[in-house]
Amino acid sequence: MFGLEVGYRYEAQLGLRYAPFAEVLAGAGVGGMFNAARIGLVWQFTDLIRADCALRLDQLVTSASAPSHTIGLEATVGYAW
């Protein structure tokens, strides 16, 4: 599904190598409107490398059918230069 998503992320700055975060997203696309929420932890391995692990809840709302829901785990690794 192609679409555009906007959101807000709050990441607690605890001064540790890991920190909890929460994120709320909303958007619209070819198939309808959707929203998502993520909650998880971010690990800062070095100043340049970090990894996120999160639980994600998604909802897709279309005019043709009842809302569909998904739940899943996701992980990302990032490098900043």
Side-chain angles (χ1 to χ4, degrees):
M1 182 170 107
F2 296 101
L4 180 63
E5 190 173 89
V6 296
Y8 177 78
R9 177 176 174 142
Y10 174 75
E11 192 172 303
Q13 299 298 318
L14 303 175
L16 303 172
R17 295 198 99 159
Y18 61 90
F21 70 87
E23 187 172 24
V24 178
L25 305 160
V30 179
M33 296 185 341
F34 53 90
N35 56 46
R38 293 175 58 209
I39 186 167
L41 284 174
V42 60
W43 287 273
Q44 191 78 36
F45 295 110
T46 68
D47 288 343
L48 302 176
I49 301 172
R50 64 185 277 156
D52 292 3
C53 184
L55 176 67
R56 181 174 176 137
L57 306 167
D58 294 300
Q59 179 183 30
L60 173 64
V61 180
T62 65
S63 59
S65 63
S68 62
H69 306 276
T70 60
I71 185 171
L73 293 174
E74 70 180 27
T76 58
V77 176
Y79 179 79
W81 64 90

